[in-house]
């Protein structure tokens, strides 16, 4: 749940991985087909699931933890 830009998403991932998120900078897209702001609606999912959808930050963190575990030998 919630929303963020691609830059916010990347910076939060960098933060979770103990990288400096301030090193990441946004760029202007040359692809004019992509809207400046678009988010996916979670309304139907929220109405269907018995429990609230977790935040995108929690989902990203869980994904990074599980992925890291796959590559830690």
């Amino acid at each position: 749940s919630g929303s963020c830009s691609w830059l916010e998403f990347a910076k939060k991932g960098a933060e979770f991985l103990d990288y400096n998120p301030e090193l990441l900078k946004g760029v202007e897209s040359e692809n004019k087909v992509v809207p400046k702001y678009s988010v996916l609606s979670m309304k139907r999912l929220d109405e269907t699931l018995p429990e609230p959808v977790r935040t995108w930050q929690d989902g990203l963190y869980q994904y990074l933890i599980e992925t890291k575990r796959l590559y830690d030998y």
Side-chain angles (χ1 to χ4, degrees), residues 5-69:
S5 69
W6 283 110
L7 181 59
E8 291 169 316
F9 185 81
K11 284 187 173 192
K12 184 55 76 173
E15 183 182 314
F16 287 148
L17 295 171
D18 293 325
Y19 294 114
N20 182 355
E22 296 309 312
L23 295 176
L24 298 171
K25 305 292 181 209
V27 296
E28 284 294 320
S29 173
E30 292 181 20
N31 182 355
K32 302 299 179 190
V33 176
V34 177
K36 283 199 176 272
Y37 180 77
S38 75
V39 295
L40 298 174
S41 173
M42 300 292 289
K43 183 180 179 197
R44 170 112 357 137
L45 195 57
D46 283 334
E47 293 171 348
T48 305
L49 294 176
E51 296 179 14
V53 176
R54 63 186 168 183
T55 65
W56 65 266
Q57 295 96 329
D58 289 343
L60 175 60
Y61 181 78
Q62 186 66 40
Y63 171 79
L64 292 173
I65 291 299
E66 289 175 7
T67 303
K68 182 178 185 317
R69 213 175 293 140

